[in-house]
Amino acid sequence: SNVYHVEIINDQIWFAIVTDWSMPGEVRVVDKNGNDIATYEVGINPGDFTFWESDDSNFSWVFVANEGNYCNVENGDDCSLPGNGSISMIDGIGNVYHINNIGWTVQSLTVHNNKLYVIINQDHKILIYNINTNGITLENALSTNNSSPREMVVIDNRIYFTNWNDNDMKVLNLDSYEIEESVPTGAIPE
């Protein structure tokens, strides 16, 4: 088993664990003393986590970015088909739901203003979902113009995201969904 990613959510430590790069992974949750709290089966190659809590109830989701497999034409993969990257959603009582086949290499996700932003690296896009207590619904899919986006952070209603192919960091305005700026990094940024 490989620990692929770690986050602290509500004073608990969440581990994304990969045992076989082509099979579903798991998320293991422990308290700050190392005691097991829960284990969940999630999608292929789990990585990034983010958390959402409703404003009007005691309901929450933990979202897990499951990268899926990288599409490789040289290995015979048909990259015109939807990739097997997915999002797992774990509610506050431990139920797990999946949004499957959303793209090739689900790299990063974050929550801001009741929206889930998801970077799909190999498909060169950012998916925007509305979040509520029933789950998520797709609002928009934004192209990053073959930039190979990787990681992101939200500051002042803008997403700052890194890009492998363009060797830069782009700034996405969350009011207009327009890329406002591109800042060269001089190297392949993670």
Side-chain angles (χ1 to χ4, degrees):
S1 295
N2 297 300
V3 174
Y4 198 59
H5 189 79
V6 178
E7 291 273 343
I8 296 177
I9 299 172
N10 292 334
D11 291 327
Q12 299 171 337
I13 306 164
W14 290 64
F15 295 92
I17 299 173
V18 176
T19 55
D20 180 326
W21 297 103
S22 63
M23 300 297 293
E26 68 180 28
V27 168
R28 183 172 167 219
V29 184
V30 300
D31 66 18
K32 58 187 171 186
N33 296 317
N35 300 308
D36 283 324
I37 296 173
T39 301
Y40 306 103
E41 184 176 294
V42 293
I44 297 171
N45 300 330
D48 202 10
F49 300 99
T50 194
F51 175 77
W52 174 85
E53 188 170 41
S54 68
D55 295 330
D56 56 359
S57 71
N58 272 345
F59 192 87
S60 64
W61 292 109
V62 171
F63 297 101
V64 183
N66 303 301
E67 290 184 9
N69 298 114
Y70 182 80
C71 188
N72 188 337
V73 176
E74 294 174 8
N75 288 343
D77 295 338
D78 183 352
C79 299
S80 68
L81 299 174
N84 64 354
S86 65
I87 301 168
S88 295
M89 305 177 353
I90 305 168
D91 68 19
I93 57 173
N95 297 309
V96 182
Y97 305 89
H98 305 281
I99 309 297
N100 293 315
N101 302 321
I102 64 168
W104 296 103
T105 317
V106 178
Q107 183 68 37
S108 177
L109 42 72
T110 194
V111 167
H112 179 69
N113 289 341
N114 295 318
K115 294 188 187 295
L116 175 68
Y117 297 90
V118 182
I119 284 181
I120 313 293
N121 170 262
Q122 195 174 2
D123 288 345
H124 314 288
K125 63 184 174 183
I126 299 174
L127 301 179
I128 302 166
Y129 292 90
N130 292 305
I131 310 169
N132 61 43
T133 56
N134 295 316
I136 58 176
T137 54
L138 184 63
E139 175 188 311
N140 210 335
L142 306 175
S143 170
T144 65
N145 299 316
N146 203 40
S147 72
S148 196
R150 297 293 288 174
E151 301 295 332
M152 67 181 143
V153 63
V154 178
I155 301 171
D156 294 332
N157 216 39
R158 287 169 173 72
I159 290 180
Y160 295 78
F161 64 100
T162 57
N163 300 277
W164 272 9
N165 289 351
D166 292 349
N167 295 326
D168 71 359
M169 177 196 64
K170 294 186 187 331
V171 181
L172 175 68
N173 182 311
L174 296 180
D175 293 320
S176 66
Y177 293 147
E178 297 291 327
I179 294 175
E180 294 182 329
E181 188 176 359
S182 173
V183 179
T185 60
I188 299 173
E190 187 61 40

